[in-house]
Amino acid sequence: MLAAAAAVLLLLHRWENRPTAQTEDDPYAGEDESLTYYNGGWYARRDVETVLVMGVDKYAAQTSGDNYNQQQQADFLLLLVVDRTAGVCRVLPLNRDTMTEITALGLAGEQVGTFNGQLALSHTYGSGGLDSARNTGRAVSSLLYGVDIDHVMAFTMDAVPVINDAVGGVTVLVEDDFSAVTDQLPMGQVTLHGDLALTFVQSRGDMGGEKTNINRMSRQAAYLRGLYTRLQSAAQDEGFLTQLLLELSSYLTTDCTANQLNDLYRTVSQDRLEVLDPPTGETAVGDEGYMEFHVDEAALRQTVIDLFYEPRQAS
């Protein structure tokens, strides 16, 4: 009962403090439905496209099934915000442990209610396929105050070595102690090949140090920057994406068409990439013994405004 009451209070707090759209008393009422009033000023929505990319912590051979409450969590999440006008692709990493509103699905895939839980758990509802990916998109939209998620793209984590080796390996700076995991990741620059890439981006609890997801997210961001550089080079090969998609067919679930994926790849590889810092907040152990990340609401609201809105001056 106390947990339910706390969840209700949290949702009310998020609703009352969201970036708000105009009302009938707004000076711009009726002029543009996308206008938002925030922190003393008016903002209009940017013309951007969003793609939620997630790594599912189960492997390709384990992704089938009809159970609408399976165990495939979204272990790795980032939101691509593509601004074609500005020629920039911004990447917002999201902590899998973030506490937010999650939609529960019933046996027929219908929405049967919501609860407050780790963002990663949103993918456990559904068949483990596109319905689960879209449910994760729904949770991210809720976290970001209703921002539209245009597309979802889910990889099983064993796709990492496939993508990594397709671009010829990715060079990273190893700053964490992996000695309890492998002797192939000494401190310093290392070019990752095969399963070593997966070890680098996925290792967490077995490393003997930081038990939260924060250090791992920092490594994932570093890996993403290195991968982006390699993808830019690979983009010169006209057949690269087609071949890569063929190799990823058993690892990838998305609502994007082949043409949309090709357009997105060309855009992202040509635009400037900005990997943003993940939302700030506090990590704590929850009542059930699992890590919980509670975002700084004020900072997150500012991030949403910066990413998805631009100032609108009164005429």
Side-chain angles (χ1 to χ4, degrees):
M1 183 64 71
L2 288 176
V8 170
L9 290 174
L10 175 63
L11 292 175
L12 286 174
H13 173 75
R14 292 179 65 81
W15 175 256
E16 292 169 351
N17 290 281
R18 74 198 189 286
T20 55
Q22 77 275 16
T23 67
E24 294 180 358
D25 296 327
D26 293 337
Y28 294 118
E31 179 181 343
D32 185 345
E33 294 182 356
S34 67
L35 284 175
T36 292
Y37 186 77
Y38 171 76
N39 199 26
W42 289 95
Y43 292 82
R45 283 292 300 269
R46 296 183 189 274
D47 182 15
V48 297
E49 179 181 3
T50 58
V51 183
L52 177 62
V53 180
M54 65 199 85
V56 181
D57 66 355
K58 298 296 180 182
Y59 291 88
Q62 299 173 291
T63 58
S64 60
D66 299 321
N67 188 343
Y68 270 76
N69 189 12
Q70 33 75 37
Q71 300 300 313
Q72 301 169 21
Q73 297 185 21
D75 200 45
F76 161 80
L77 301 108
L78 56 84
L79 185 65
L80 301 182
V81 182
V82 183
D83 188 335
R84 289 181 169 84
T85 302
V88 60
C89 176
R90 297 181 175 90
V91 180
L92 178 65
L94 297 169
N95 193 326
R96 71 179 301 282
D97 297 333
T98 302
M99 301 299 289
T100 191
E101 182 185 61
I102 294 172
T103 299
L105 303 179
L107 292 177
E110 76 280 12
Q111 299 180 29
V112 296
T114 61
F115 67 97
N116 192 53
Q118 290 177 320
L119 181 57
L121 296 178
S122 57
H123 194 275
T124 65
Y125 288 87
S127 65
L130 187 55
D131 51 351
S132 296
R134 284 175 170 159
N135 201 51
T136 303
R138 191 177 292 115
V140 170
S141 176
S142 175
L143 174 67
L144 301 181
Y145 309 103
V147 165
D148 292 333
I149 305 300
D150 296 315
H151 295 289
V152 292
M153 193 179 301
F155 296 90
T156 52
M157 288 302 289
D158 50 349
V160 172
V162 177
I163 300 171
N164 182 87
D165 291 359
V167 299
V170 174
T171 300
V172 296
L173 179 63
V174 178
E175 299 180 284
D176 292 330
D177 181 7
F178 282 87
S179 59
V181 179
T182 178
D183 59 2
Q184 298 182 61
L185 286 171
M187 298 284 191
Q189 276 201 340
V190 175
T191 299
L192 305 173
H193 294 286
D195 289 342
L196 200 60
L198 181 58
T199 299
F200 181 78
V201 301
Q202 194 174 42
S203 297
R204 178 172 64 162
D206 51 359
M207 293 180 62
E210 177 69 60
K211 299 297 184 183
T212 71
N213 198 39
I214 306 300
N215 272 15
R216 181 167 63 173
M217 290 182 68
S218 178
R219 271 187 273 121
Q220 290 169 346
Y223 179 82
L224 181 62
R225 294 186 182 95
L227 176 62
Y228 174 73
T229 300
R230 300 295 294 171
L231 284 172
Q232 283 184 305
S233 299
Q236 308 306 313
D237 180 357
E238 290 294 330
F240 171 77
L241 182 61
T242 300
Q243 181 59 38
L244 180 59
L245 288 177
L246 286 173
E247 294 180 16
L248 289 175
S249 60
S250 62
Y251 305 90
L252 171 64
T253 298
T254 182
D255 57 3
C256 292
T257 65
N259 286 338
Q260 287 172 328
L261 286 173
N262 183 69
D263 177 63
L264 179 64
Y265 172 66
R266 296 300 172 192
T267 299
V268 171
S269 62
Q270 294 169 12
D271 283 359
R272 182 175 80 255
L273 184 77
E274 293 182 4
V275 181
L276 307 177
D277 291 332
T280 57
E282 295 183 354
T283 299
V285 178
D287 293 339
E288 297 181 3
Y290 296 107
M291 287 295 181
E292 297 181 354
F293 181 76
H294 299 268
V295 295
D296 181 324
E297 296 281 352
L300 183 60
R301 287 194 296 274
Q302 187 62 57
T303 296
V304 170
I305 288 293
D306 292 342
L307 269 177
F308 300 101
Y309 294 84
E310 55 191 0
R312 174 70 177 270
Q313 299 297 327
S315 57

